[in-house]
Amino acid sequence: MFNNITGPKPVEDVFGAYLSSDAELTPINQYPIIPQNFIYQGFPKKILPLDKALQALQSKKDLSDTFICTYEKDKLFNRIRRYPKNYVEMLKRTAGIIGFDISIHSDMPLWKQKAFIGENLELTYFFGKQGIPVIPNIRYGTDETIDDFFSAIPLHSTIAIGTYGFIKFKYQKAEWLDCLEKIFQKLKPERLVVYGSLKGKLFSKFSEMTQIQIYKAWFAQDREERRNGN
């Protein structure tokens, strides 16, 4: 961006460079690095999807004990991707944010995987910079993306993993366990937040390595509350 009186006029920031313009960057793809002091050092009391949270906040409900996540259909949080500044004050009324979770699929072209990894990290960085506590979300693509993505996440911190639709076939269980082993080897987290539909027994192997807390998927929580008459 130019800002020189004698040179070209400033270029409008249509690409959102302001989101992470002051961040330290990873060595290969220059992803923004999430600083340790942005990260919430504990477990959320509650977790709620962004779309449901925005409805609650607009109704003036108290979400000061609730972390917001984007483990939901991408289209439901496109508005915050396009206009993140518009949501800062609203999200300051929550306990914090689980890092963004724009979908990354292994059959995507590699450049697209990297673009979405960067966007997830950039949005997480931006809201952390505004003073909103964040918990980095571990979402990468194929093996080529792993090392540089991990270099954007501090060691020995709190991290989160979303587990919607991860295991539909037996072979995917082995892939998932391999994924977890890489996460623990690389990041050595102090705490692991697990949100979604996988059963806790899949994490028993890692329970001696760190503190793990598993949260039911929102629709399961909602169904249980309705059944109990809440």
Side-chain angles (χ1 to χ4, degrees):
M1 177 178 274
F2 298 98
N3 192 14
N4 189 324
I5 295 175
T6 60
K9 293 182 179 179
V11 177
E12 184 180 355
D13 184 12
V14 296
F15 300 108
Y18 73 89
L19 292 169
S20 59
S21 60
D22 60 346
E24 293 188 33
L25 305 175
T26 63
I28 299 174
N29 295 299
Q30 297 191 318
Y31 300 136
I33 295 171
I34 309 300
Q36 186 74 263
N37 65 310
F38 285 11
I39 298 175
Y40 182 72
Q41 300 303 328
F43 285 110
K45 184 175 180 181
K46 299 177 184 177
I47 298 177
L48 191 64
L50 178 67
D51 190 55
K52 301 297 179 185
L54 292 179
Q55 293 175 29
L57 289 168
Q58 287 164 357
S59 301
K60 307 299 182 183
K61 290 186 178 178
D62 181 10
L63 296 185
S64 60
D65 63 352
T66 303
F67 262 72
I68 311 307
C69 72
T70 55
Y71 299 128
E72 56 188 351
K73 293 180 180 178
D74 291 356
K75 66 180 182 181
L76 294 178
F77 61 92
N78 265 340
R79 51 185 162 173
I80 200 169
R81 291 172 65 187
R82 295 179 65 188
Y83 306 107
K85 284 183 178 179
N86 293 353
Y87 295 90
V88 171
E89 293 307 314
M90 189 177 290
L91 292 174
K92 282 184 176 180
R93 292 161 48 199
T94 71
I97 300 174
I98 304 291
F100 279 74
D101 191 39
I102 301 167
S103 298
I104 301 166
H105 303 290
S106 59
D107 58 353
M108 285 178 171
L110 185 58
W111 72 266
K112 179 69 75 173
Q113 295 179 44
K114 291 181 177 181
F116 284 171
I117 289 169
E119 191 172 352
N120 281 331
L121 289 166
E122 184 174 60
L123 286 167
T124 303
Y125 180 91
F126 170 73
F127 285 104
K129 183 70 183 297
Q130 310 314 306
I132 299 171
V134 300
I135 297 176
N137 177 49
I138 305 306
R139 171 72 82 175
Y140 55 84
T142 50
D143 286 349
E144 296 94 324
T145 68
I146 292 175
D147 288 340
D148 204 44
F149 168 74
F150 280 148
S151 66
I153 310 297
L155 299 175
H156 308 295
S157 64
T158 309
I159 60 173
I161 300 176
T163 63
Y164 286 136
F166 265 67
I167 297 178
K168 295 180 180 178
F169 304 101
K170 286 185 177 180
Y171 76 89
Q172 291 174 320
K173 180 177 180 180
E175 291 180 350
W176 173 241
L177 290 172
D178 179 63
C179 169
L180 283 175
E181 286 178 353
K182 288 175 181 174
I183 290 169
F184 277 89
Q185 288 170 3
K186 298 281 187 178
L187 298 179
K188 300 175 175 58
E190 291 287 329
R191 300 169 200 84
L192 174 62
V193 172
V194 181
Y195 184 77
S197 54
L198 288 189
K199 295 181 179 179
K201 64 181 181 181
L202 288 173
F203 295 90
S204 58
K205 176 180 178 180
F206 305 96
S207 60
E208 294 182 1
M209 300 182 188
T210 192
Q211 304 174 66
I212 300 174
Q213 192 155 321
I214 299 173
Y215 298 78
K216 291 181 180 178
W218 178 84
F219 59 82
Q221 297 176 42
D222 184 59
R223 185 168 57 241
E224 186 175 306
E225 288 177 2
R226 290 174 184 273
R227 188 167 54 242
N228 294 333
N230 296 330

